[in-house]
Amino acid sequence: MGNNLYLRFEFETGDAMGMNMVTIASEEIMKVIEEEFPDVKYLALSGNLCVDKKPNAANFLLGRGGKTVIAEAVIPRKIVEEKLKTTPELIAEVNYRKNLVGSAQAGSYGFNAHFGNIVGAIFLATGQDEAQITEGSHGITLAEVTPEGGDLYISITMPSLEIGTVGGGGTRVPPTQREALSIMGVAGGGDPPGTNAKKFAEIVAGAVLAGELSLLAAIAAKHLAKAHKELGR
């Protein structure tokens, strides 16, 4: 950008979210660059192209933290009608007009109903960096009626899920955060490294998918305000 140079590095960090590891490694790389290229002046370790803890297009497209996750499901029409009290067609239309068109009108990076509710709860419960709920809430929900049997196909895509099962301080907090990871079978380092963090990402995505289905169904059935009023939340 003009006479400014911004570098974006990629690293393997195993089961750690890895931000501290990346910070330390990047600084060592910058020292070498300065030694090899005297005309280059290293000014700031972070130039905000990372991008960390801010709504942004870069991580929406490229991901960050090592995890881009997709979860999908086909819900039989009978279940949608009997349990969710609506239809696949109505859920698909609500998703289109709310999550896609409405979000586009608002200039949102989150084309979804409420990723942030589920991501936020899990991050706090498992010792993740709560400020990174911002990027973790980026993503898209899709819903459509299957051509074969008229069932509901629903999917969520999370491009920038920054999570880890080791490191960062919070993942080791006893008894609650560490216990929460242990209950899910993902506490500590995996064998081979990275497997626990990947499994954890799958769990988060599954929970987010369930949350999107629940809220979209409640809105389609016009139960949302009634539920808030009756349950007091």
Side-chain angles (χ1 to χ4, degrees):
M1 183 63 68
N3 61 355
N4 301 284
L5 178 63
Y6 294 81
L7 302 179
R8 185 172 165 120
F9 296 114
E10 291 186 12
F11 300 88
E12 292 288 340
T13 60
D15 287 292
M17 190 277 285
M19 187 170 178
N20 293 338
M21 300 163 67
V22 166
T23 297
I24 295 167
S26 296
E27 185 167 62
E28 294 303 312
I29 292 172
M30 294 312 301
K31 291 177 182 177
V32 173
I33 289 176
E34 278 196 316
E35 291 173 1
E36 295 294 324
F37 302 94
D39 290 339
V40 174
K41 302 302 179 184
Y42 158 43
L43 178 65
L45 186 57
S46 171
N48 264 13
L49 195 62
C50 338
V51 184
D52 187 36
K53 302 170 185 174
K54 292 167 280 292
N56 66 93
N59 293 339
F60 194 96
L61 295 171
L62 302 175
R64 183 171 183 269
K67 307 294 178 290
T68 295
V69 197
I70 297 173
E72 57 184 356
V74 175
I75 314 299
R77 173 177 290 274
K78 182 179 180 181
I79 296 297
V80 174
E81 293 176 346
E82 293 182 0
K83 303 297 183 182
L84 301 178
K85 311 304 181 183
T86 184
T87 66
E89 288 83 1
L90 199 50
I91 288 179
E93 184 173 3
V94 168
N95 184 73
Y96 168 69
R97 300 191 186 279
K98 168 185 167 60
N99 288 341
L100 303 183
V101 179
S103 295
Q105 172 120 0
S108 175
Y109 285 120
F111 290 77
N112 59 75
H114 66 150
F115 280 18
N117 273 333
I118 292 85
V119 172
I122 295 175
F123 271 38
L124 293 174
T126 59
Q128 309 303 308
D129 189 330
E130 67 274 10
Q132 289 171 341
I133 296 169
T134 304
E135 298 100 306
S137 299
H138 287 177
I140 299 175
T141 298
L142 296 179
E144 57 190 59
V145 181
T146 63
E148 300 84 7
D151 299 323
L152 174 68
Y153 167 83
I154 184 168
S155 72
I156 59 101
T157 300
M158 308 180 74
S160 187
L161 187 58
E162 297 162 321
I163 56 172
T165 60
V166 298
T171 60
R172 298 191 297 270
V173 175
T176 53
Q177 278 77 6
R178 180 77 178 190
E179 182 181 25
L181 290 168
S182 297
I183 289 171
M184 293 184 285
V186 297
D191 184 18
T195 53
N196 275 358
K198 289 178 180 178
K199 181 180 178 182
F200 185 29
E202 292 176 350
I203 293 170
V204 174
V208 168
L209 177 64
E212 290 292 285
L213 175 62
S214 177
L215 182 52
L216 287 172
I219 292 172
K222 296 183 172 58
H223 289 168
L224 184 61
K226 178 183 176 183
H228 279 71
K229 182 178 178 180
E230 292 184 355
L231 299 175
R233 55 182 182 269

